[in-house]
Amino acid sequence: MWADLAPIGRDPDSHGYRRSAWTGADADCRTWFQEQAETRGLTYETDRNGNQWAWLGDPTAGDAVVTGSHLDSVPDGGAFDGPLGVVSSFAALDELRARGATFTKPLAITNFGDEEGARFGLACVGSRLTAGKLTREAAYELRDADGVSLPEAMEAAGYDPSTIGADPERLARIGAFVELHVEQGRALDLSGDAVGIASAIWPHGRWRFDFRGEANHAGTTRLVDRRDPMLSYAETVLAARREAELAGAVATFGKIAVEPNGVNAIPSLVRGWLDSRAADQDTLDTVVTAIEKAAREYADRHGIDLDVVRESFTPVVELEHALRDELGTILREHTGQGRDIPVLGTGAGHDAGILSESIPTAMLFVRNPTGVSHSPAEYAAEDDCLAGVRALADVLEGLACR
């Protein structure tokens, strides 16, 4: 399975993956998912929001156990973020069948669409729509860098956008959702464990900073006469790093748009997107407030107009404690070592976090020895991936086969 997925959407120069939602690479990943489902004799379906499902047992019976993740990527992303969870889900089912497990509940494997938000700027679109956290009206307003709307992209990919929206009936049939994911940090590497359990997802958000100045000639305009928004933006980037360090949080300006974007032109507009995350809400508020305050001071100093818009926000997500503890008990029993499985928080958002207010959710992490993610250098060793498959199989057996 891993070898089949490996070439899809891989850039020959960067060696990273470009699997944005509703593109050709995304379509190839979706075809792969459907083939995996049908090869195993599972019931395949696509829901009203474009999410894919592969069912073992009656999808309408209720109290289903669901696992899976996503197959799309950030620009030049790594091979593991998302796909590891989907591949491991199919592999875990194979393992359970090899064990001769008898399922007492329906089991589903899912691929949630547009988790990364790389194309339309909003993460977890498929799960947000399903959970009613993104309205149809708001989804219709989403546009990519070329001005293509979400419904236009879906329609071009062969899906009917008129059906998108909350899907409470589907969620009501799910008793638990368990998502396996490569760790996006080094906590497991430092503890020496191959697999861990998630405790909570940090609150996080995205803010757009629009610095507006005056376009002018780069060669003839005196420095003292310039209203250059790039200066205010650059100072704000440094302020973000400083404030994050002081608070023990993270803050990143990772995307920028410049107008008119000419080498010999002073910009009239610099638009930068801030991503910030922290272990708790108060810390996040402190960091973002301090960054905005610094940005406004820099803008005033250079005669720049500044608008700040919060484009998305997800509060702290405490994954259900009872299900988390049940996973720990199951894994302790199967390892026979009597030791606790590490429980760790994460600064990355996931579909499991979006769904947590609607259904019981839990997450397993697989060790990432470098801690690198959203990069071609993202990595997990094969032995650790197999340990993740066994752990997921153990969990699914404990939840769906008793």
Side-chain angles (χ1 to χ4, degrees):
M1 286 186 287
W2 200 251
D4 289 342
L5 269 179
I8 299 176
R10 191 173 191 184
D11 183 79
D13 297 321
S14 71
H15 303 295
Y17 287 88
R18 298 179 181 181
R19 298 168 173 164
S20 295
W22 311 115
T23 62
D26 185 47
D28 290 343
C29 288
R30 288 170 173 272
T31 298
W32 173 90
F33 183 95
Q34 183 173 355
E35 290 172 349
Q36 296 301 320
E38 293 173 347
T39 297
R40 290 169 173 78
L42 305 178
T43 301
Y44 171 79
E45 64 172 335
T46 302
D47 68 20
R48 63 191 299 178
N49 296 307
N51 304 310
Q52 294 179 291
W53 300 79
W55 287 92
L56 177 67
D58 183 1
T60 65
D63 202 24
V65 176
V66 179
T67 186
S69 191
H70 64 95
L71 294 173
D72 66 313
S73 75
V74 298
D76 286 328
F80 294 82
D81 181 353
L84 181 63
V86 179
V87 170
S88 297
S89 297
F90 283 117
L93 174 58
D94 295 345
E95 166 68 15
L96 290 175
R97 282 175 161 170
R99 294 178 186 178
T102 300
F103 289 85
T104 57
K105 297 179 180 180
L107 176 74
I109 298 170
T110 186
N111 167 36
F112 283 107
D114 199 4
E115 193 272 353
E116 294 291 6
R119 183 171 182 183
F120 298 101
L122 179 64
C124 301
V125 170
S127 55
R128 283 181 191 272
L129 283 167
T130 300
K133 292 191 172 184
L134 174 64
T135 66
R136 175 182 169 183
E137 293 74 20
Y140 267 49
E141 294 299 317
L142 294 175
R143 280 172 169 71
D144 67 12
D146 296 320
V148 178
S149 70
L150 174 62
E152 289 170 340
M154 292 182 69
E155 193 167 21
Y159 291 83
D160 181 5
S162 67
T163 65
I164 65 174
D167 200 348
E169 296 85 1
R170 179 175 298 273
L171 293 179
R173 300 197 299 266
I174 299 174
F177 174 62
V178 181
E179 180 176 4
L180 179 144
H181 205 280
V182 68
E183 187 194 357
Q184 294 168 289
R186 290 191 57 218
L188 292 174
D189 184 59
L190 295 173
S191 69
D193 295 279
V195 178
I197 300 173
S199 58
I201 299 173
W202 286 10
H204 56 279
R206 298 178 181 182
W207 290 260
R208 190 186 77 235
F209 285 63
D210 293 345
F211 297 89
R212 300 183 186 277
E214 182 180 39
N216 215 326
H217 197 293
T220 61
T221 309
R222 297 189 313 160
L223 294 180
V224 71
D225 292 333
R226 299 184 180 201
R227 294 179 56 224
D228 185 351
M230 188 65 76
L231 296 178
S232 302
Y233 170 73
E235 291 171 317
T236 301
V237 173
L238 297 176
R241 175 59 179 263
R242 181 179 66 249
E243 297 299 336
E245 285 181 334
L246 290 172
V250 291
T252 308
F253 278 97
K255 180 180 177 181
I256 183 174
V258 181
E259 295 179 9
N261 204 27
V263 175
N264 60 348
I266 299 166
S268 59
L269 169 67
V270 175
R271 176 169 287 150
W273 282 264
L274 169 70
D275 179 301
S276 189
R277 309 167 191 232
D280 59 80
Q281 186 65 57
D282 288 344
T283 302
L284 181 60
D285 290 342
T286 297
V287 170
V288 175
T289 298
I291 295 171
E292 181 176 348
K293 179 182 178 183
R296 294 196 181 281
E297 290 175 353
Y298 299 139
D300 288 345
R301 183 185 307 162
H302 298 295
I304 304 301
D305 296 324
L306 171 63
D307 292 318
V308 179
V309 179
R310 189 178 79 177
E311 292 193 335
S312 68
F313 179 75
T314 303
V316 63
V317 175
E318 288 283 349
L319 300 176
E320 185 177 273
H321 291 195
L323 182 58
R324 180 190 70 194
D325 294 345
E326 187 172 7
L327 262 61
T329 299
I330 291 170
L331 294 179
R332 278 197 304 274
E333 291 174 350
H334 277 81
T335 60
Q337 297 176 355
R339 65 189 292 263
D340 288 337
I341 306 300
V343 178
L344 53 147
T346 174
H350 301 281
D351 291 311
I354 298 297
L355 298 175
S356 64
E357 290 185 14
S358 304
I359 56 177
T361 63
M363 292 192 70
L364 295 173
F365 289 127
V366 172
R367 174 166 47 194
N368 177 346
T370 66
V372 174
S373 189
H374 284 188
S375 159
E378 185 178 79
Y379 178 71
E382 183 174 335
D383 287 347
D384 288 346
C385 293
L386 293 175
V389 169
R390 289 191 293 270
L392 181 58
D394 292 342
V395 165
L396 297 178
E397 185 174 22
L399 297 176
C401 301
R402 55 190 177 185

